[in-house]
Amino acid sequence: MKKLLTTLAFTTLSYFGFSQSCCSLTKDDMQLMASTKEFQAAHLSPLPYTHVSTVGGTMIEFKTPDGKMANAYLIKSAKPSNKYLFVYQEWWGLNDYIKKQSEVFYGDLKDVNVLAIDMYDGKIATDPKDAGALMSGADPARLQAIIKGALAYVGPKAKIASVGWCFGGGLSLKSAILEGKQAVGCVMYYGMPEKDVEQLKTLKCDVLGLFAGKEQWISPAVVAQFEKDMATAGKSVKVKSFDAEHAFANPSNPKFDREASEEAYTLAITYLKDKLK
């Protein structure tokens, strides 16, 4: 009976500890704007694409601290490695384009495990209205639980860098904050920055921000404020703003900018190679 009571007490404390860490979480500006017609109109439906892995990528499941399960697309390093790249989806979800890009990173990084994390629990959108509903409806507590579950899956000895686009750009930064001392690098493509300076102070790595200078949402003013906030927090960020529209690096987007995308990828992969060497 004593053992049972102890177990129940630990479970209760763990639950309330998790709840308290999430109860103050709120949806960021990008989630709030996702349901607007203007934001949806800037994203045309992705072109059809079916991905077939050539490097052994496979879907996996892992436990999350809210008592549920989550999914991810895992590409294991050919050699045993404690180095991981966490990949965060655009607002469409963990679709085949994200899996394809994950394999591009995998091929260039060498000896790094790549984990593309499903932040929508299996849901994928193919039109802007549905994507807006998924992104605006995502529960911040669940998003955090998924990231924490991924951290538990890779273990406390893992060295982690992260990358993401759009919704995933903001998640990449949130992930780096949650990773604590395990974080070695963070790349965010045109994602909404964290605006809480106290949260930024807890970062243990620097950040590479790749932004779209022509967009109105994560605008040059938002990016400039992010740079100021990072300086106030005593953290390092390198920013590159391209003369391009939001989602310029997505080849399925009609506003895809090949030149900007290639330059951005060169910056990203050079940064990630250095952090995960």
Side-chain angles (χ1 to χ4, degrees), residues 173-224:
L173 182 57
K174 289 179 172 64
S175 179
I177 292 171
L178 289 172
E179 290 157 21
K181 293 181 179 179
Q182 291 181 255
V184 297
C186 170
V187 179
M188 51 189 305
Y189 278 80
Y190 37 81
M192 185 61 70
E194 173 61 57
K195 297 181 178 180
D196 185 342
V197 174
E198 294 305 310
Q199 285 291 313
L200 294 175
K201 286 180 180 178
T202 67
L203 265 172
K204 302 300 182 185
C205 69
D206 62 354
V207 176
L208 173 63
L210 305 169
F211 296 100
K214 289 184 177 180
E215 76 161 286
Q216 65 189 53
W217 299 285
I218 301 91
S219 64
V222 170
V223 175

Side-chain angles (χ1 to χ4, degrees), residues 242-263:
F242 295 86
D243 185 27
E245 301 285 353
H246 183 80
F248 69 81
N250 184 345
S252 74
N253 188 320
K255 294 181 180 180
F256 172 65
D257 187 318
R258 183 176 300 279
E259 183 177 347
S261 178
E262 290 177 354
E263 183 180 350

Side-chain angles (χ1 to χ4, degrees), residues 24-269:
S24 62
L25 292 178
T26 56
K27 295 181 180 181
D28 64 21
D29 291 348
M30 180 166 269
Q31 277 193 271
L32 296 176
M33 70 179 66
S35 59
T36 65
K37 291 181 179 179
E38 293 79 10
F39 191 78
Q40 292 176 14
H43 298 74
L44 299 183
S45 297
L47 302 172
Y49 170 71
T50 300
H51 181 67
V52 178
S53 179
T54 59
V55 291
T58 184
M59 291 298 297
I60 62 163
E61 284 189 326
F62 55 85
K63 295 179 180 178
T64 56
D66 55 359
K68 301 178 183 180
M69 300 295 291
N71 315 296
Y73 184 68
L74 173 64
I75 314 169
K76 289 185 178 181
S77 169
K79 299 178 181 178
S81 172
N82 69 340
K83 294 180 285 188
Y84 281 83
L85 176 67
F86 281 8
V87 178
Y88 288 99
Q89 68 202 40
E90 293 181 301
W91 76 331
W92 304 108
L94 181 55
N95 62 17
D96 281 6
Y97 281 100
I98 298 300
K99 294 176 182 177
K100 178 181 180 181
Q101 186 58 47
S102 296
E103 297 198 359
V104 173
F105 279 117
Y106 174 82
D108 286 338
L109 286 172
K110 311 296 183 187
D111 300 327
V112 173
N113 304 288
V114 177
L115 191 72
I117 305 170
D118 177 5
M119 304 303 290
Y120 287 165
D121 289 312
K123 300 181 182 69
I124 295 175
T126 56
D127 72 74
K129 186 176 180 180
D130 290 342
L134 286 174
M135 183 169 145
S136 62
D139 179 5
R142 176 58 182 161
L143 296 174
Q144 186 178 88
I146 293 172
I147 296 172
K148 286 186 173 181
L151 290 172
Y153 175 80
V154 302
K157 294 183 179 180
K159 293 173 57 178
I160 306 167
S162 60
V163 62
W165 307 262
C166 184
F167 185 40
L171 289 172
S172 179
L173 182 57
K174 289 179 172 64
S175 179
I177 292 171
L178 289 172
E179 290 157 21
K181 293 181 179 179
Q182 291 181 255
V184 297
C186 170
V187 179
M188 51 189 305
Y189 278 80
Y190 37 81
M192 185 61 70
E194 173 61 57
K195 297 181 178 180
D196 185 342
V197 174
E198 294 305 310
Q199 285 291 313
L200 294 175
K201 286 180 180 178
T202 67
L203 265 172
K204 302 300 182 185
C205 69
D206 62 354
V207 176
L208 173 63
L210 305 169
F211 296 100
K214 289 184 177 180
E215 76 161 286
Q216 65 189 53
W217 299 285
I218 301 91
S219 64
V222 170
V223 175
Q225 185 60 51
F226 177 46
E227 291 181 278
K228 291 180 181 178
D229 290 343
M230 286 286 280
T232 300
K235 304 300 174 181
S236 176
V237 59
K238 180 179 179 181
V239 165
K240 171 69 177 180
S241 290
F242 295 86
D243 185 27
E245 301 285 353
H246 183 80
F248 69 81
N250 184 345
S252 74
N253 188 320
K255 294 181 180 180
F256 172 65
D257 187 318
R258 183 176 300 279
E259 183 177 347
S261 178
E262 290 177 354
E263 183 180 350
Y265 182 74
T266 297
L267 290 172
I269 197 64

